[in-house]
Amino acid sequence: MGEVDSAFIQDVEHRPKLTITEAEGIPVIDLLILNSSDISTEKNCKELSSLVAEVKDACKKWGFFQVINHGVSLEYREKIELGSRKFFALSKEEKRKVKRDELNSMGYYDTELTKNVRDWKEVFDFTVENPTVVPLSHDPDDKELKELHNQWPEYPPELRDVCEKYVQEMQKLSYKLLELISLSLDLPAKRLNGFFKDQTSFVRLNHYPPCPIPHLALGVGRHKDAGSLTILAQDDIGGLEVKRKTDGEWIRVKPTPDAYIINVGDTIQVWSNDEYESVEHRVVVNSERERFSIPFFLNPSHYTWIEPLEKLVNAENPAKYKAYNWGMFFTHRKNSNFTKRDDENLQIHHFKA
């Protein structure tokens, strides 16, 4: 990661605490019923209703939950985790052969900024759909589009194959979760599915090297996820912290073997008209051990306009947001990863009605 310089150091009020508060309260939700060949029986219908209620409670209280018995093959997860470790073990020179830039934000990167402070991490990004189409810029008058292309390294040679198979598993799980969230909002199960026809979803391989200043730096600074859902695989080291809604305390999410950590993003907050909230979170670093994680970011198509869903708006609960274009929003947020901004990065509160 190079020499420790001031670019990594967080402002005093945002530095991590040395004491850890673990998030015992973040729910662990069992999705076993969704793997049943017939969920239409009376018994299974009751179990599905109970599951939907659990999801609703977790989304309202935490904005985060963990899932077990999720149906994702452990073999695919183990293979992508091994591939990630092999890739990040390469020399800096080798990794930078697939370096991403402002024109194509897919590939390797080790100087990402969050809230204008450099993160103590290196990443490798790849899209679900290759190529993925997004606006060329975030200027509303600029109608030109560009294609994001995946860049696959020469080593390890199996990385592309394991990543492409893993992402298919993430797709299946993401639609299961979308349908549960739709049902929890009293909407038809597939109400949200159409927003993802030409999705801009991507997967990130994260590597957090040991950090000599874990009390001053963060692996990822405080932020909210701009998209719809994040499905996170983390190793046994841990480091994800969630800002508890009840008191603003930073809570460590304890790793659960083979589980995935789920959080709702900004578009779910807007679609639900603030029924659910996208919650702030961050990643702390370790002075002795490296950490790996793999988030899948489920994002809508670039041409999707995000606004509160009609069924969730009425005279007593009017729309809390003006409509905004996802592609423009996505491009604006991506650009801030590369250069410091003088103004605040675009957030959904900028579209408050």
Side-chain angles (χ1 to χ4, degrees), residues 37-56:
S37 58
D38 181 10
I39 63 171
S40 62
T41 65
E42 182 179 352
K43 176 178 181 292
N44 286 347
C45 281
K46 288 181 180 179
E47 290 184 7
L48 180 60
S49 296
S50 176
L51 174 59
V52 170
E54 284 186 75
V55 170
K56 185 180 188 72

Side-chain angles (χ1 to χ4, degrees), residues 100-106 127 129-139 142-150 198-200 301-303 327-338:
R100 74 186 211 196
D101 54 34
E102 291 183 54
L103 190 61
N104 183 21
S105 56
M106 294 301 121
T127 58
E129 297 192 357
N130 187 38
T132 290
V133 178
V134 297
L136 181 63
S137 75
H138 60 269
D139 183 347
D142 186 356
K143 306 303 181 185
E144 193 171 350
L145 301 173
K146 67 178 179 179
E147 293 183 342
L148 304 179
H149 291 269
N150 289 333
D198 299 306
Q199 60 189 270
T200 56
S301 58
H302 75 88
Y303 49 77
M328 299 292 183
F329 193 92
F330 178 82
T331 301
H332 190 283
R333 290 286 288 259
K334 277 290 185 185
N335 288 347
S336 71
N337 290 337
F338 296 94

Side-chain angles (χ1 to χ4, degrees), residues 55-69:
V55 170
K56 185 180 188 72
D57 188 63
C59 289
K60 286 183 71 71
K61 290 182 178 177
W62 285 96
F64 273 79
F65 54 95
Q66 299 189 66
V67 293
I68 59 173
N69 293 318

